[in-house]
Structure formats: C-alpha cells, structure tokens
Amino acid sequence: MAKSSNTIFFCKECGYESSKWSGFCPACSTPNSMVEAPKAGSGRGRLNSGNPLSQARPVSLSEIQNENQTRFSTGFEELDRVLGGGLLPGSLVLTGGDPGIGKSTLLLQMCRHMALSGRKVLYVSGEESLSQLKLRAVRLGEFEGDLRFLCETDMDRILEILKEEVPAVAVIDSIQTMAAQSAASAPGSVTQVRECTNMILNTAKSLGISVFIVGHVTKDGAVAGPKLLEHMVDTVLYFEGDRHASYRILRGVKNRFGASGEIAVFEMLGSGLKEIPNPSAYMLSGRPENASGSVISCIMEGTRPLLLEVQALLAPSAYGQGRRTATGVDHNRVALLLAVLEKRLSLGLSDFDAFVNVTGGLKLSDPALDLAVVMALYSSHKNKSVPDNLMVFGEVGLSGEVRSVQLAKERVQEAARLGFTACLLPKSSLSADLNARGMKLIGVSSIQEAVSIL
Ligand code: TYD
Ligand code: MG
C-alpha cells in the first residue's frame, strides 16, 4: 500500500511515531494501535509562537528567581499528599482512569472546595450537559464561591475564555472530547489530543493556571489513551479500582513536584467520594477469624504501608492435573511459589487445585508478599490457621530462602499501629531500630523455619 509522504503513523496508546504502518506498536507492543494521521506541519509552527521559552538563553542557577510559589490544598488531604503537598499554581495534572470510575466526581468535589476557599475555578465539560452537571453537583453538597461551568468542546474558544477569566484552577473533562481547528482530524484522535494538550500547556503555564485534564483509559477503542500525554504534563494520576466495589485508589504515576508512587484511597458513597485516611483498617475489615489459608501481609505503595489479607485454598483436583488461579498477584509468581513449596517441603501439590486471592481487588507486585502466599498455601494444605495477631512479610527465593525486603521498619510499625502483636519477617531484616512496642519479631531465613511456627 503506497502512502503519501504527508501522513505519519501514531500509536494510539503511547504516541510512538513511525513512517511505516505495523500490526503492533514497536514501542509498547500494543496490537492494532497504529493509526494514520496527517503530519503536524502547519500546526507545529503556531504551537511554538506562544511559547515563552522560544527566546530562551542559558542562565546559571543563581540567576533563577524562585517565585515564591505556594501550594494550595485541593480539599482532600490524601490527594494533596499524592500531589506532593498540595497543588502548585501553573501545574498540569492528568487524571486517567476507566470510564465511570469517578474522575468527574473527584474533580468536581475538589473544585467545590477550592471555590469555597476563595479561588476562582472553571469547570469545562465536553461530556455532560449543564443540567447533568447540576444533577451530580446537588449530590455532593452546597456550592458557594466563584465556581463556573462551561460546556464546550472547541479548544480555541476554551482558551479564549481562559485568557479572559484567568481562573486559579481549571478542569478539562475530558481531553478526548476536545477539538482544535488547527488539527484537522476527529476529536479523540492522536493528533487532536496532542494538539489540544499543547495549547492548554502553553496557556496554563503563561497565565499560571493549574489545569486538571481528564483522560479516559481505553482498552482498544477509537480514541487515544492518556499514556500518550504522560510526558507532556507535570503530574499523572491514575484512578483504579473495581467499579463494583466501593473503594477507589488514586495513584501518582509521575510527579515533577514530589515523589511518585504515592496512593490515596477513597470510598464512593451516595454523596460523592470520601477519603479513607486509614486504608489498612479498611482493607482488613471483615476478615475471617481462625480460618486456615488466611494470612495478613504488608505491602508498600509509595511511602505508604498497606496491610491486606492473602487467602489461599488448596483442594483436591477433580481432574488429575491441578489448576492454579491467582487474583491480585501474578499468576506466574504463584506457580513458582507452589513449586518451591513442593520441592523444599516435599509436599505433593500437583494434584491439588490452588487458588490465591488478595482481598480488595488490588493488583500487586511487591515481592514482600511471597512469604504470606507461601504461609497461606501451607496453612490451607495442613488445615491449620495462622495466628490472628501475626503479620507476615518477606521475599522467597528459589531455594526456599527468605530474603530481606526494603522498608521493614515501616511495615512493622503499621502492623503495631493496627494492634498486631507478632511479625514473621526475614532474619536479615531484623535490626535494633525495628523494635516497635509490644511487638514480637520472629526472624526466619527459610520457608522450613517459617512454616514450623504453625
Ligand atoms: P463519574 O465521576 O461520572 O466517573 P468518570 O468521570 O470517571 O467517568 O462517576 C460515575 C459513577 O459514580 C457512577 O456510576 C455513579 C457513581 N456516583 C456515586 O456512587 N455517588 C456519587 O455521589 C456520584 C456523584 C457518583
Ligand atoms: Mg466523567
């Protein structure tokens, strides 16, 4: 197929550019994600004209004036923490997530708070009508102060209004519905999404407006995903969680003004989102007592320790070959840990079905969960329960050794805070400063030692 030279191929997911089409993206390996779009020729020149950096010259550090930029609160303490201690004027924040997860609700609640505390706020929606916005707003409480709404999808008009009004904070919900005249393609296409974000970026930075951009995560739909924009914005937040469960996790994936990897946990109620300041207690609520196959472990999300329950069930298989099913933890990791258990503890597990589940619907990759998975499997196999007041963490190696993990102190402290009185942990993580009041620390160096406490 001969292609004219004034078009180029983009990956809808990550924005990778190529002059040739291919069946999957060479950069992120997503199949069928390459789409054809016009080369950004005429549009590009215009983009730079408004850029204050185009006349730049080199300066030394001492010449740089630190305008005293004070961060301000979004009204959610947890969100402030994910942002690195509040919102900086002029910063661009991308909020991604599946449709219906609660992005618009979170941002509207944030706008409400900031208007209440005396800031000028503009909420631009390209998805909902004014009456739909009002329906949502009445569920969230009283609104006061300078918060105004605009239903518009024309980017040029939005920028005009931003320049006229100069709000302190603006929300663009969502970037995939916006269209700029200069990019001659459909809303939601790679070219449009990039062009619109670039236009917002220039305006927001020059006027000092903090902008929240909403981006839908799409599986393989016709619109470009928010990944494409990650390198253009200052901060990237992803809203995750099971749409059917009530809690939501907001994860900071990138942050130019603070630590990334921080999370905030929210609960979706009838009157909007409520932050959960104590997520460990929330995750552990309703756990069974004295049940075999249930073990409490601690993972780290950014700097935040989170206690959760690992459940395992080993049941004789109906068909000779045992099935392995894992939810929340990597399937291959579970297979590996089962093999280690079989080999090092001489257990015959091949004709058992094994199910491992981390409650709460989280997807975890912290290796500190290994020892808890091993203990849960063993406890289910022997039908002996793990003591209720015991918290377990540690990485397990192929020879059955228990290896140290980072931030052991934070994990032990979190367990002590929630009333646990004993901790099973890698021997190599034991140190003098670990001692939390009233906490019994059991250091082990192999899984044989670990299971012997049962
Ligand atoms: P929404 O913020 O519209 O999601 P997004 O903008 O990410 O697409 O949230 C929609 C869901 O949240 C919807 O299923 C209804 C629910 N919801 C509540 O449970 N309570 C509330 O107070 C509100 C406003 C929404
Ligand atoms: Mg929405």
Side-chain angles (χ1 to χ4, degrees):
M1 210 177 6
K3 290 285 167 202
S4 62
S5 59
N6 51 11
T7 63
I8 195 160
F9 295 90
F10 284 103
C11 169
K12 281 189 297 198
E13 283 303 316
C14 69
Y16 179 83
E17 291 177 24
S18 162
S19 57
K20 287 193 313 236
W21 184 83
S22 53
F24 62 91
C25 170
C28 68
S29 309
T30 314
N32 285 325
S33 67
M34 302 295 284
V35 290
E36 189 175 9
K39 256 187 196 162
S42 51
R44 275 283 154 82
R46 209 187 45 75
L47 282 182
N48 286 337
S49 58
N51 188 342
L53 299 178
S54 56
Q55 293 294 314
R57 61 179 185 85
V59 290
S60 66
L61 267 182
S62 56
E63 286 175 75
I64 304 174
Q65 302 288 321
N66 245 349
E67 305 142 38
N68 58 352
Q69 289 190 310
T70 41
R71 292 170 184 258
F72 50 93
S73 170
T74 58
F76 288 109
E77 256 175 56
E78 295 287 293
L79 177 57
D80 289 346
R81 197 173 45 77
V82 174
L83 289 171
L87 188 60
L88 266 176
S91 61
L92 215 60
V93 182
L94 174 68
T95 316
D98 293 332
I101 196 89
K103 303 180 291 298
S104 307
T105 308
L106 178 75
L107 294 180
L108 189 56
Q109 281 182 273
M110 186 193 78
C111 289
R112 169 174 175 258
H113 174 87
M114 289 193 291
L116 275 175
S117 60
R119 273 170 233 282
K120 190 168 177 176
V121 185
L122 181 68
Y123 190 106
V124 185
S125 180
E127 304 210 321
E128 288 156 310
S129 66
L130 288 172
S131 57
Q132 280 174 312
L133 283 171
K134 178 147 189 180
L135 276 178
R136 174 180 293 113
V138 293
R139 298 175 71 173
L140 303 178
E142 298 279 308
F143 280 73
E144 256 173 61
D146 196 354
L147 166 60
R148 277 186 279 171
F149 296 90
L150 173 71
C151 282
E152 183 61 82
T153 56
D154 179 358
M155 205 61 227
D156 301 272
R157 176 77 192 122
I158 294 170
L159 291 190
E160 251 172 53
I161 293 178
L162 281 180
K163 283 177 194 153
E164 261 167 45
E165 303 267 328
V166 196
V169 182
V171 171
I172 307 286
D173 187 2
S174 66
I175 192 70
Q176 282 115 342
T177 55
M178 301 297 160
Q181 284 150 16
S182 49
S185 59
S189 66
V190 176
T191 347
Q192 275 293 4
V193 167
R194 290 223 287 203
E195 173 79 1
C196 290
T197 310
N198 237 322
M199 290 164 76
I200 301 170
L201 187 84
N202 290 338
T203 309
K205 292 277 172 209
S206 58
L207 298 177
I209 308 174
S210 304
V211 184
F212 282 82
I213 299 177
V214 173
H216 288 299
V217 171
T218 53
K219 274 276 136 46
D220 40 20
V223 295
K227 268 221 142 35
L228 182 81
L229 304 177
E230 282 185 0
H231 61 278
M232 298 167 79
V233 299
D234 300 314
T235 305
V236 180
L237 309 176
Y238 276 105
F239 221 175
E240 341 175 325
D242 188 349
R243 222 180 332 154
H244 306 291
S246 62
Y247 72 88
R248 307 277 186 272
I249 291 174
L250 189 71
R251 194 184 294 275
V253 176
K254 161 182 172 178
N255 195 350
R256 283 191 184 142
F257 313 119
S260 66
E262 292 291 340
I263 63 156
V265 184
F266 292 90
E267 190 176 5
M268 180 64 99
L269 303 173
S271 56
L273 289 155
K274 187 170 153 275
E275 44 192 343
I276 300 176
N278 192 352
S280 291
Y282 185 80
M283 292 289 169
L284 295 188
S285 61
R287 83 180 152 114
E289 275 172 29
N290 288 319
S292 66
S294 158
V295 176
I296 304 301
S297 188
C298 184
I299 54 154
M300 297 299 298
E301 290 283 2
T303 57
R304 158 151 262 173
L306 190 60
L307 292 186
L308 39 80
E309 184 189 354
V310 180
Q311 293 187 325
L313 183 69
L314 279 171
S317 173
Y319 323 91
Q321 181 73 38
R323 277 191 303 153
R324 274 90 182 85
T325 310
T327 334
V329 273
D330 182 25
H331 177 264
N332 292 321
R333 194 79 200 161
V334 170
L336 183 149
L337 293 171
L338 274 163
V340 173
L341 263 173
E342 274 203 88
K343 180 92 178 163
R344 305 293 163 202
L345 298 179
S346 314
L347 300 179
L349 297 177
S350 59
D351 46 0
F352 278 88
D353 287 338
F355 305 91
V356 175
N357 180 24
V358 175
T359 56
L362 295 163
K363 285 191 182 53
L364 306 168
S365 51
D366 192 336
L369 217 56
D370 288 357
L371 189 58
V373 173
V374 165
M375 291 293 282
L377 284 166
Y378 187 84
S379 150
S380 174
H381 187 253
K382 297 287 176 206
N383 211 10
K384 275 188 195 154
S385 61
V386 175
D388 274 341
N389 59 0
L390 179 74
M391 193 276 275
V392 178
F393 68 90
E395 183 176 350
V396 173
L398 287 184
S399 359
E401 80 275 21
V402 176
R403 313 169 74 113
S404 65
V405 294
Q406 51 166 351
L407 302 169
K409 189 175 168 200
E410 281 75 6
R411 298 179 209 249
V412 171
Q413 277 172 350
E414 179 76 353
R417 199 172 65 77
L418 279 147
F420 286 80
T421 52
C423 241
L424 187 68
L425 71 170
K427 194 168 245 164
S428 43
S429 289
L430 283 177
S431 65
D433 65 335
L434 214 56
N435 245 322
R437 254 176 300 119
M439 180 67 95
K440 187 175 162 207
L441 299 172
I442 311 165
V444 291
S445 49
S446 68
I447 60 170
Q448 287 89 340
E449 257 180 78
V451 299
S452 71
I453 70 141
L454 279 184

